[in-house]
Amino acid sequence: MAPSKVLAGARVVLPTGIVHDGRVIIDGARISGGQAPADAPVTDLSGHWLVPGFVDLHNHGGGGASFTSGTVEDVLRGIHTHRLHGTTTVVASTVTGDMHGLAERAGMLSELAEQGDLAGIHFEGPFISPCRKGAHSEELLRDPDPADVRKLLDAARGRASMVTLAPELPGGLDSVRLLAEHGVIAAIGHTDATYEQTQAAIDAGATVATHLFNAMPALGHRTPGPIAALLEDERITVELINDGTHLHPASLELAFHHAGPGRVAFITDAMDAAGFGDGRYMLGPLEVEVADGVARLVEGGSIAGSTLTLDRAFQRAVTVDRLPVEDIVAAISANPARLLGVYDRVGSLEPGKDADLVVLDADFALKGVMRKGVWVVDPQLR
């Protein structure tokens, strides 16, 4: 059990707004609503920001380790890498593979979810459109047959959080309904759906747009496609990769303007190179070249995930996109926590919740990370 401690002097971002010269009391692994013991150590965070730990819905790895193919030790290394960058809650995303391999991977990842290292599993593929496959192996794609979707859910042993699929494919709408019935997020992505097909999927129970704008038809004035349907419907939360590569700042501004801060979730879509460096990597069965922090397939050149960490997404959202800090906190912590059904424990700085928090300096660079009351990155040592 972590001892009690007091964090004082920071600008604290709460669900009700920003508190200047704030004071947060940590009691063991949780945020306390009471008084701190007289002998509790005080960390002076004057001149800093204190925000909730980040929650990443969509992440394939980091630190040179892959969630899609690595060992348990590899996956834990990837999780730790993202914790060092403020992500205290992470969902492990897979990529398209054969059904047997995906089921085996789900079994391994579910064990890590059961012990609290992961918040769940996200299956990105194989139920996606060959027209919008991106960095997925075309020969392993398949239609979203509900029986196959159910196999992956069963393999995940109740730890499946989200499945990305193309709803226009045969079985797509029935699979969306199946996912909704089982409390699993049905996400629309890697899709060639029309506006009307996207609307039908939302009506069937889809609630997330997988990396909006990417791997889907562009917004057209006569064929608005999925983007318009996803932005306009209040039932949808849109994922955005704010790395400066996946989205032009105007596209991000468009999404925030139409969806509003309550319907945006910042994600990394990170692969092995996040927090690690340039070089050659494997994303599932496909080889990826990372150069100057941008990941692309060796064959074809498609963008292959990102090297983003959520602290960089936060800093960019303030300094480049000029978004209000409260809106960024919603997109990077509260909204994804609500989607995952864990907002009672994480996603905001409130009494009784896990003491998961991030310290940022005046320029919004990361200076400290706490998870469950223990410093992962101690701001006093940086």
Side-chain angles (χ1 to χ4, degrees):
M1 176 70 73
S4 296
K5 52 182 74 73
V6 178
L7 311 180
R11 284 173 282 188
V12 182
V13 183
L14 302 176
T16 51
I18 298 171
V19 176
H20 295 266
D21 194 19
R23 182 180 174 89
V24 175
I25 300 168
I26 310 298
D27 183 13
R30 298 186 181 276
I31 299 170
S32 173
Q35 296 293 317
D39 60 349
V42 178
T43 301
D44 182 8
L45 296 177
S46 299
H48 291 72
W49 291 84
L50 197 59
V51 301
F54 309 146
V55 181
D56 196 353
L57 283 171
H58 186 155
N59 187 318
H60 299 279
S66 172
F67 296 160
T68 68
S69 59
T71 64
V72 170
E73 291 73 22
D74 291 334
V75 175
L76 290 172
R77 185 167 78 252
I79 293 167
H80 182 67
T81 295
H82 285 281
R83 284 181 186 167
L84 293 174
H85 291 274
T87 299
T88 50
T89 302
V90 63
V91 172
S93 301
T94 64
V95 294
T96 293
D98 66 82
M99 290 295 293
H100 177 72
L102 286 172
E104 283 193 338
R105 174 66 23 178
M108 186 263 266
L109 294 173
S110 68
E111 292 181 10
L112 294 175
E114 286 161 8
Q115 64 191 41
D117 294 297
L118 291 171
I121 304 165
H122 164 218
F123 294 101
E124 187 180 22
F127 313 117
I128 61 175
S129 171
C131 302
R132 305 287 173 178
K133 65 182 185 298
H136 290 256
S137 177
E138 184 166 355
E139 57 266 25
L140 295 174
L141 300 180
R142 59 174 59 210
D143 291 335
D145 184 325
D148 286 338
V149 174
R150 182 61 188 265
K151 286 177 184 175
L152 294 185
L153 299 189
D154 290 344
R157 303 201 302 259
R159 298 295 175 169
S161 296
M162 181 163 65
V163 176
T164 294
L165 55 79
E168 74 277 9
L169 296 176
L173 293 184
D174 286 339
S175 289
V176 169
R177 295 186 188 99
L178 172 72
L179 292 168
E181 288 167 4
H182 284 79
V184 177
I185 298 166
I188 299 171
H190 287 276
T191 177
D192 208 37
T194 64
Y195 175 85
E196 292 76 16
Q197 288 169 329
T198 306
Q199 285 184 315
I202 298 169
D203 288 339
T207 55
V208 166
T210 292
H211 43 53
L212 187 75
F213 298 106
N214 298 115
M216 60 183 63
L219 184 66
H221 63 294
R222 293 193 183 91
T223 54
I227 293 172
L230 294 164
L231 280 177
E232 73 184 9
D233 199 302
E234 294 189 356
R235 294 170 289 183
I236 291 291
T237 298
V238 298
E239 293 181 348
L240 298 176
I241 308 171
N242 193 24
D243 62 353
T245 298
H246 281 78
L247 295 175
H248 189 282
S251 297
L252 183 130
E253 182 182 5
L254 177 73
F256 258 94
H257 176 75
H258 285 278
R263 292 205 293 119
V264 172
F266 280 148
I267 62 164
T268 60
D269 194 17
M271 45 79 71
D272 312 21
F276 198 67
D278 290 353
R280 289 278 180 113
Y281 299 85
M282 298 301 295
L283 185 61
L286 303 179
E287 191 172 16
V288 176
E289 175 79 32
V290 179
D292 297 325
V294 178
R296 294 186 180 274
L297 290 182
V298 171
E299 291 191 18
S302 290
I303 293 177
S306 85
T307 62
L308 185 64
T309 51
L310 283 180
D311 58 332
R312 285 172 42 216
F314 195 118
Q315 189 175 40
R316 180 180 174 84
V318 178
T319 59
V320 176
D321 305 306
R322 304 295 180 183
L323 294 172
V325 173
E326 304 98 304
D327 292 354
I328 301 167
V329 168
I332 214 163
S333 300
N335 297 342
R338 287 194 183 96
L339 278 171
L340 292 172
V342 295
Y343 188 66
D344 60 326
R345 302 197 306 274
V346 300
S348 66
L349 300 179
E350 296 179 88
K353 291 194 174 186
D354 289 351
D356 290 2
L357 50 87
V358 175
V359 180
L360 304 169
D361 68 13
D363 296 319
F364 296 93
L366 184 141
K367 292 297 177 182
V369 181
M370 178 181 286
R371 186 174 187 270
K372 296 186 183 299
V374 176
W375 289 114
V376 180
V377 178
D378 190 333
Q380 295 176 304
L381 300 178
R382 288 173 69 94

